[in-house]
Every structure is written in structure tokens, then in C-alpha cells.
Amino acid sequence: MLALKWMLMVAGTLLLAAAVGIPLYGLWLRIRVWLKRQKDEQGALGPKLVEPEPEPIAWRVPVALALAACVPMLIAASIVVVPSGMGGVRVSQVAGTLPGTLYPGVHFVPPLVESVKTFDLRDHLFTAGVADDGSKDSKQKNPLDVQSREGLDIALAVTVRYHLDPRRLDHVEEHLPRPVDKELVPPVVASAWRELTPGYTVQEIFSSKREEVRSKAAATITRKLGADGIVVDEVMLRDIQLPAEYAKGLEGLLLKEQENDQMGVATEIQQKQVRIAELQAEAEEVQKVKESEGEAKSKVVEAKGEADAMQYTLPLKQKQIEQSKLEAEARKEATIQNAQADAEAKVIDSKAELQRRNLLADAEANRIRLIASADGERMKSEAALLNESPLLINKIIAERLSDKIQLMMVPSDGKFFFANDVFKAAAINPALKHEMEGGEDAAAPKASGH
């Protein structure tokens, strides 16, 4: 929204500049023509050049531009942006300060009639008195010297944290002096402390009632500033500087009080130790009495327990004897039953072994019968095959002579077989026949060797 406001202001400024520039340009043209004529009249004797008359100044366009420039500038003036952490109040030129607070954001106000005053709503710190570092400049710049009941001067270091009440900014703008940090808060804080401290002694302010004094001063400051629309968040009493002579005397007094307190503490410790010893003795006596009473009661209980136990001892003994007899009989019966079970198991095992052997014998006999039957069938088929092809006998004999002999069986008629052509070619070609014979002779020793 701020960008829009500035854009409107720039646009209005440019329009206003154009409205002013147009008549100025026309006026400059008229002045140039007049100066030219004056120069011609004073110096030149020859023919004079007649300057054309400039056109009259067009006032309608500048007026229109000026009126047009007022529109964006008025719109921009009506836009008010309250930053974060700030608050605003409207001030009318007719009715004065208007009630209500403008919080951070964009607001629209009537231009030229109302304006917006902004205030910082964040926390402020007012520091009075001696600074934390003890510098003299800070003490002289913003001193806070008060007097105690004895009339001694005390320098205080006080810090007040406060902020403006957003709901009462109209009251702050209309009634309070500006700036509030310098004109209102310092005198209120100083007067509150100076009215309060004369009711207390230096020792009370410094040590025993320090928090009480701070609380009352904070209540007074909060009440006075709250009436003017200032909310006090915290009042801190950081440091107290006593007069040098009183500080020395107070230091000695504090040492004596400390010694007195130490002696009192030592006395209390001794009294407590004596009391503890008495209580321990009483506790030991009571403990011994309780222990003797407990022993007597325990003995009585033991006697009663033994008497009661005797009443149940004999029946328990009889029951134990009967139980041992029953256990012996049970063990005897269990032994007999185990022996019978072992015998029956052995009989069952022997029967199972006999059945297994019979089954193995039957299986072996059946296997032998099957093998014999298969051998008979095989011999019958081989006999039939040999009857049909007697040359197979030679093949079988050759195969059984050696596994390195390679045999090749060919048809007897030689049809559709390449060896027939080879043999015929050997019969026609004596060289080929000689090579074949040489090859057979070379192969014969190898075969015979095997």
C-alpha cells in the first residue's frame, strides 16, 4: 500500500509539473520574440526579418492537468499506513483530536481535513540515578538523590519499564506534553521516590525493607502514570549508594550483627545437639523396653506353638508311615509292570524281525525269478537274431576282442552307399588301388597287434 501511495504522489507531481511547464514554455517563447525585436530595432539598418507572432498560451490544458494532478495526490494523502509497533490517533482541523486508536495497518482518512499522529506502543525504559557501571556522567545527567528518615542523602539507581496505553492515545495527544519520555515520566518517578523514602531509615531502605519500599514506589508510579494513559510494567531498584561515613559504620554494624547471628546460631546448634542426645537416650530406653516385651511375647508364642504342634505331630507321623508303605507297594507294582512290558516288547520285536526276514527272502526269490526270466527272453531274442544274421557273430567277437577296434557295417548289395563308388574307382585306377592296399597292409599289423 505504501508503493501505491508513492506511485500516486509521483503521478500527481508529474501532472502538476506538466501543468506548470506548459504556460512557462509559452511565456518563454513570447520573451524570446520580444528580445529579438528589440535587438533588430537597435542595431540593424538592413531589411528586418519579421518574426511570427507566437501562439497564445493555452490555459485550458494546464488547468486540466492541474486538476487531474489533484486527484491522485488527494487519494495518496488519504492513505495512512501505521507501522508495526505503533499506534495512531486522528487529529481533525475542525473538531480537534478524535477518539479512537488506529492500530498497525492501512487506514483511510479525509485528506486536508484530518491528519494522523503516530505513537510508539513498544516498551520504553527510563533509567534514573547511578548507572550499573558507576560512571559519574550518568549520575550527573539524570540524578535521583533522596533522603532517609535520618536526613541522610541516598543515591538510587532506578529503572522503569513502561508503554503507552493504546486505548488512550487521544488523551495522550490532547493533554500530555511531548515528548512523554522527557517531560512527564522523569518528574513522576523522582517525586514518587522522594515522597516515599523519608518514612524509612537508611538500614530499612538498604536491607530489611528494600522490597517493601520498591513495591510501594512501583504502586505510586503506576497510579500516577496510569491516570495519564501510561502503563507501567515494572519498577526495578538496581542499586543503592549510601553516604561514605554511614557505609563504614553500617559495615561495622553488619559485622557485629553477623557475629551475633553466628553466636546465636552456634547456641541453637548446641541446644539442638543436647536435645538430640536426650531424645536418643529416651529412644534407646524405649527400644530396650520394646525389645524385652517382644522377646517375652515371642517366647510365649513359641511355647504355644510347640504345644499346638505336639497335638498334630503323632497323626502326622502315622500318615508318613502309611504314605511310605503305599509308596513301597507302588514301586513294587511298577517294577512288575515294567518287567511284563519288557517281555512283551521283546516278543513283539522277535516277531517283527521274523516277518522282516521272510519279506526279504520273498523279495530275493522274486528278484531271481525275474532276472532268470529276463535272461531267457534275451537269449531267445539273440538266438533268433543270430539265425537271421550270422555275420553278427563276427561283429560280437571283434567287439569283445578289444574296445579300440572300429567296425562299420554296410549293405551287402552296396546300393546308395559311397563305398561302392570308391571300390569301383579303385578297380579302375591302379594307383588308387595300390594306395588302398598299402593302407590295408599298414592297418593290418595294428589290428593284429591289438
Side-chain angles (χ1 to χ4, degrees):
M1 190 59 70
L2 282 174
L4 177 61
K5 180 177 180 179
W6 284 106
M7 289 174 63
L8 292 173
M9 291 292 292
V10 171
T13 304
L14 293 176
L15 290 174
L16 189 60
V20 175
I22 291 173
L24 290 178
Y25 180 72
L27 182 61
W28 178 75
L29 291 178
R30 289 181 174 275
I31 293 173
R32 189 181 68 174
V33 171
W34 180 78
L35 292 175
K36 185 67 174 176
R37 289 178 179 177
Q38 292 293 328
K39 184 178 180 181
D40 293 339
E41 290 176 358
Q42 292 177 1
L45 298 176
K48 298 181 180 180
L49 296 176
V50 180
E51 290 288 337
E53 290 291 335
E55 296 181 0
I57 299 174
W59 292 101
R60 293 183 179 180
V61 175
V63 171
L65 291 175
L67 294 176
C70 294
V71 176
M73 295 184 73
L74 290 175
I75 295 174
S78 65
I79 298 174
V80 178
V81 178
V82 179
S84 177
M86 306 287 286
V89 62
R90 294 178 298 168
V91 179
S92 175
Q93 302 297 328
V94 179
T97 304
L98 299 178
T101 301
L102 301 180
Y103 292 96
V106 180
H107 304 276
F108 294 93
V109 297
L112 305 177
V113 179
E114 294 181 3
S115 61
V116 176
K117 300 291 184 179
T118 57
F119 296 88
D120 191 357
L121 299 180
R122 292 168 292 191
D123 287 350
H124 298 264
L125 291 178
F126 168 72
T127 301
V130 183
D132 291 337
D133 56 356
S135 60
K136 296 181 179 180
D137 297 336
S138 61
K139 183 176 180 181
Q140 295 175 358
K141 183 178 179 181
N142 197 8
L144 183 57
D145 296 331
V146 297
Q147 288 185 348
S148 63
R149 184 186 298 175
E150 300 92 338
L152 298 176
D153 292 333
I154 304 173
L156 302 180
V158 179
T159 298
V160 180
R161 185 166 64 90
Y162 65 95
H163 66 274
L164 298 178
D165 189 355
R167 296 170 297 180
R168 301 189 62 187
L169 292 182
D170 51 351
H171 174 79
V172 174
E173 170 64 23
E174 191 171 2
H175 297 91
L176 299 186
R178 304 285 293 276
V180 178
D181 295 343
K182 297 180 179 180
E183 298 295 333
L184 181 63
V185 176
V188 171
V189 174
S191 64
W193 283 99
R194 287 167 181 163
E195 291 174 1
L196 181 65
T197 54
Y200 296 89
T201 63
V202 176
Q203 186 177 2
E204 291 174 348
I205 297 173
F206 184 76
S207 59
S208 61
K209 295 183 179 181
R210 183 169 181 168
E211 181 60 26
E212 179 183 345
V213 174
R214 189 203 64 80
S215 300
K216 289 184 177 180
T220 303
I221 295 170
T222 302
R223 185 183 69 255
K224 289 183 177 181
L225 293 179
D228 292 326
I230 301 174
V231 179
V232 178
D233 299 320
E234 186 179 6
V235 177
M236 295 172 280
L237 179 58
R238 303 193 326 272
D239 190 16
I240 299 175
Q241 285 193 353
L242 303 176
E245 296 179 356
Y246 185 85
K248 292 180 180 179
L250 183 61
E251 184 178 357
L253 181 62
L254 291 175
L255 290 174
K256 291 181 180 180
E257 289 182 355
Q258 186 176 4
E259 293 176 357
N260 187 18
D261 293 339
Q262 290 178 355
M263 292 178 64
V265 171
T267 304
E268 290 180 0
I269 291 173
Q270 292 178 356
Q271 291 177 356
K272 289 181 180 179
Q273 288 177 352
V274 173
R275 181 58 181 168
I276 290 171
E278 293 176 356
L279 293 175
Q280 288 178 352
E282 292 177 359
E284 290 177 356
E285 183 179 358
V286 173
Q287 185 177 4
K288 289 180 179 179
V289 173
K290 294 293 183 182
E291 288 178 354
S292 61
E293 291 178 356
E295 290 177 356
K297 290 181 181 180
S298 64
K299 289 180 179 179
V300 172
V301 173
E302 289 178 357
K304 288 182 180 180
E306 290 177 356
D308 294 337
M310 291 298 292
Q311 296 177 1
Y312 297 98
T313 302
L314 293 176
L316 290 174
K317 295 288 186 181
Q318 292 177 357
K319 289 182 180 180
Q320 290 177 356
I321 293 169
E322 292 177 357
Q323 185 177 1
S324 60
K325 289 181 180 180
L326 293 174
E327 289 177 355
E329 292 178 357
R331 285 194 296 271
K332 184 178 179 181
E333 291 179 357
T335 304
I336 295 171
Q337 291 178 358
N338 291 333
Q340 292 177 357
D342 291 338
E344 291 177 356
K346 289 180 180 179
V347 171
I348 292 170
D349 291 339
S350 61
K351 289 181 180 180
E353 182 65 22
L354 180 60
Q355 291 178 358
R356 187 180 66 80
R357 290 180 179 179
N358 291 332
L359 291 174
L360 290 174
D362 294 339
E364 183 65 22
N366 190 14
R367 185 181 67 80
I368 293 170
R369 285 195 297 271
L370 292 174
I371 292 172
S373 176
D375 290 340
E377 292 294 334
R378 183 177 58 79
M379 292 176 68
K380 288 179 181 180
S381 63
E382 288 179 356
L385 185 60
L386 290 173
N387 290 330
E388 292 177 359
S389 302
L391 295 176
L392 290 175
I393 298 172
N394 298 330
K395 176 180 179 296
I396 294 169
I397 293 171
E399 288 178 350
R400 293 186 178 181
L401 287 176
S402 176
D403 57 349
K404 295 184 179 179
I405 297 175
Q406 296 182 356
L407 299 178
M408 181 174 62
M409 298 180 67
V410 297
S412 58
D413 54 0
K415 293 181 179 181
F416 308 105
F417 192 69
F418 72 92
N420 189 15
D421 297 334
V422 175
F423 292 147
K424 288 179 180 180
I428 297 170
N429 192 353
L432 182 58
K433 180 177 181 182
H434 178 70
E435 290 179 0
M436 292 178 64
E437 289 178 354
E440 292 176 358
D441 295 339
K446 184 179 179 181
S448 62
H450 293 287

Coordinates of all heavy atoms in Angstrom, one line a residue, residues 214-246:
R214 N 10.4 -0.7 47.4 CA 10.3 -0.8 45.9 C 8.8 -1.0 45.5 O 8.3 -0.4 44.5 CB 11.1 -2.0 45.4 CG 11.3 -2.0 43.8 CD 11.6 -3.4 43.4 NE 10.6 -4.3 43.7 CZ 9.5 -4.5 43.0 NH1 9.2 -3.7 41.9 NH2 8.6 -5.4 43.4
S215 N 8.1 -1.9 46.2 CA 6.7 -2.2 45.9 C 5.8 -1.0 46.0 O 5.0 -0.7 45.2 CB 6.2 -3.4 46.8 OG 6.9 -4.5 46.6
K216 N 6.0 -0.2 47.1 CA 5.2 1.0 47.3 C 5.5 2.0 46.3 O 4.6 2.7 45.7 CB 5.4 1.6 48.7 CG 4.8 0.7 49.8 CD 5.0 1.4 51.2 CE 4.4 0.6 52.3 NZ 4.5 1.2 53.6
A217 N 6.8 2.2 45.9 CA 7.2 3.2 44.9 C 6.6 2.7 43.6 O 6.1 3.6 42.8 CB 8.7 3.3 44.8
A218 N 6.6 1.4 43.2 CA 6.0 1.0 42.0 C 4.5 1.2 41.9 O 4.0 1.6 40.9 CB 6.3 -0.5 41.8
A219 N 3.8 1.0 43.1 CA 2.4 1.3 43.1 C 2.1 2.8 42.9 O 1.2 3.1 42.2 CB 1.8 0.8 44.4
T220 N 2.9 3.6 43.5 CA 2.7 5.1 43.4 C 2.9 5.5 41.9 O 2.1 6.3 41.3 CB 3.6 5.8 44.3 OG1 3.3 5.4 45.7 CG2 3.3 7.3 44.2
I221 N 4.0 5.0 41.3 CA 4.3 5.4 40.0 C 3.3 4.9 39.0 O 2.9 5.6 38.1 CB 5.7 4.9 39.6 CG1 6.8 5.6 40.4 CG2 6.0 5.1 38.1 CD1 8.2 5.0 40.3
T222 N 2.8 3.6 39.2 CA 1.8 3.1 38.3 C 0.5 3.8 38.4 O -0.1 4.1 37.4 CB 1.6 1.6 38.7 OG1 2.8 0.9 38.7 CG2 0.6 0.9 37.8
R223 N 0.1 4.2 39.6 CA -1.1 5.0 39.8 C -1.0 6.4 39.1 O -2.0 6.8 38.4 CB -1.4 5.2 41.3 CG -2.8 5.8 41.5 CD -3.1 6.0 43.0 NE -2.2 7.0 43.6 CZ -1.1 6.8 44.4 NH1 -0.8 5.5 44.6 NH2 -0.4 7.8 44.8
K224 N 0.1 7.1 39.3 CA 0.2 8.4 38.7 C 0.3 8.4 37.2 O -0.4 9.2 36.5 CB 1.4 9.1 39.3 CG 1.2 9.5 40.8 CD 2.4 10.3 41.3 CE 2.2 10.7 42.8 NZ 3.4 11.5 43.3
L225 N 1.1 7.5 36.7 CA 1.3 7.5 35.2 C 0.1 6.8 34.6 O -0.3 7.2 33.4 CB 2.5 6.7 34.9 CG 3.9 7.4 35.3 CD1 5.0 6.5 34.8 CD2 4.0 8.7 34.6
G226 N -0.6 5.9 35.3 CA -1.8 5.2 34.7 C -2.9 6.2 34.5 O -3.7 6.1 33.6
A227 N -3.0 7.2 35.3 CA -4.0 8.2 35.1 C -3.8 9.0 33.9 O -4.8 9.6 33.3 CB -4.1 9.2 36.4
D228 N -2.6 9.1 33.3 CA -2.3 9.8 32.1 C -2.2 8.9 30.9 O -1.6 9.3 29.9 CB -1.0 10.6 32.3 CG -1.2 11.8 33.3 OD1 -2.3 12.3 33.3 OD2 -0.3 12.1 34.0
G229 N -2.6 7.7 31.0 CA -2.5 6.8 29.8 C -1.2 6.1 29.6 O -0.9 5.7 28.5
I230 N -0.4 6.0 30.7 CA 0.9 5.3 30.6 C 0.9 4.1 31.5 O 0.6 4.2 32.7 CB 2.1 6.2 31.0 CG1 2.1 7.4 30.1 CG2 3.4 5.5 30.9 CD1 3.1 8.5 30.5
V231 N 1.1 2.9 30.9 CA 1.0 1.6 31.7 C 2.5 1.3 32.1 O 3.4 1.1 31.3 CB 0.5 0.5 30.8 CG1 0.4 -0.8 31.6 CG2 -0.9 0.9 30.3
V232 N 2.6 1.1 33.4 CA 3.9 0.8 34.0 C 4.0 -0.8 34.1 O 3.2 -1.4 34.8 CB 4.2 1.4 35.4 CG1 5.5 1.0 36.0 CG2 4.1 2.9 35.2
D233 N 5.0 -1.4 33.5 CA 5.1 -2.8 33.5 C 6.0 -3.3 34.7 O 5.7 -4.3 35.3 CB 5.8 -3.3 32.2 CG 4.9 -3.0 31.0 OD1 3.7 -3.2 31.2 OD2 5.4 -2.6 30.0
E234 N 7.0 -2.5 35.0 CA 7.9 -3.0 36.1 C 8.8 -1.8 36.6 O 9.1 -0.9 35.8 CB 8.9 -4.1 35.5 CG 9.8 -4.7 36.6 CD 10.6 -5.8 36.0 OE1 10.6 -6.0 34.8 OE2 11.3 -6.5 36.8
V235 N 9.0 -1.8 37.9 CA 9.9 -0.8 38.5 C 11.0 -1.6 39.2 O 10.7 -2.4 40.1 CB 9.1 0.1 39.5 CG1 10.0 1.1 40.2 CG2 8.0 0.8 38.8
M236 N 12.2 -1.3 38.8 CA 13.4 -2.0 39.3 C 14.3 -1.1 40.1 O 14.6 0.0 39.7 CB 14.2 -2.6 38.2 CG 13.4 -3.7 37.4 SD 14.3 -4.2 35.9 CE 13.9 -2.9 34.8
L237 N 14.6 -1.5 41.3 CA 15.6 -0.8 42.2 C 16.9 -1.5 42.0 O 17.2 -2.5 42.7 CB 15.1 -0.7 43.6 CG 16.1 0.0 44.6 CD1 16.3 1.4 44.2 CD2 15.5 -0.1 46.0
R238 N 17.8 -1.0 41.1 CA 19.0 -1.7 40.8 C 20.1 -1.6 41.8 O 20.8 -2.5 42.1 CB 19.5 -1.2 39.4 CG 18.5 -1.4 38.3 CD 19.2 -1.2 36.9 NE 20.2 -0.2 37.0 CZ 20.1 1.1 36.8 NH1 18.9 1.6 36.6 NH2 21.1 1.9 36.7
D239 N 20.2 -0.4 42.4 CA 21.4 -0.2 43.3 C 21.1 1.0 44.2 O 20.2 1.9 44.0 CB 22.6 0.2 42.4 CG 23.9 0.2 43.3 OD1 23.9 -0.4 44.4 OD2 24.9 0.7 42.8
I240 N 21.7 0.9 45.4 CA 21.6 2.0 46.4 C 23.0 2.3 46.9 O 23.8 1.5 47.3 CB 20.8 1.5 47.6 CG1 19.3 1.1 47.2 CG2 20.7 2.6 48.7 CD1 18.5 0.5 48.3
Q241 N 23.3 3.6 46.8 CA 24.6 4.1 47.2 C 24.4 4.9 48.5 O 23.7 6.0 48.5 CB 25.3 4.9 46.2 CG 25.9 4.1 45.0 CD 26.8 4.9 44.1 OE1 26.9 6.1 44.3 NE2 27.4 4.2 43.2
L242 N 25.0 4.5 49.6 CA 24.9 5.1 50.9 C 26.0 6.2 51.0 O 27.1 6.1 50.3 CB 25.0 4.1 52.0 CG 24.0 2.9 51.9 CD1 24.3 2.0 53.1 CD2 22.6 3.5 52.1
P243 N 25.9 7.1 52.0 CA 27.0 8.0 52.3 C 28.2 7.3 52.8 O 28.1 6.2 53.4 CB 26.4 8.9 53.4 CG 24.9 8.8 53.2 CD 24.6 7.4 52.7
A244 N 29.4 7.8 52.5 CA 30.6 7.1 52.8 C 30.8 6.8 54.3 O 31.1 5.6 54.6 CB 31.8 7.9 52.3
E245 N 30.5 7.8 55.1 CA 30.7 7.6 56.6 C 29.7 6.6 57.1 O 30.0 5.7 57.9 CB 30.6 8.9 57.3 CG 31.7 9.9 57.0 CD 31.5 11.2 57.7 OE1 30.5 11.3 58.4 OE2 32.4 12.1 57.6
Y246 N 28.5 6.7 56.6 CA 27.4 5.8 57.1 C 27.7 4.4 56.6 O 27.4 3.4 57.3 CB 26.0 6.3 56.6 CG 24.9 5.4 57.2 CD1 24.4 5.7 58.5 CD2 24.4 4.4 56.5 CE1 23.4 4.9 59.0 CE2 23.4 3.6 57.0 CZ 22.8 3.9 58.2 OH 21.8 3.1 58.7

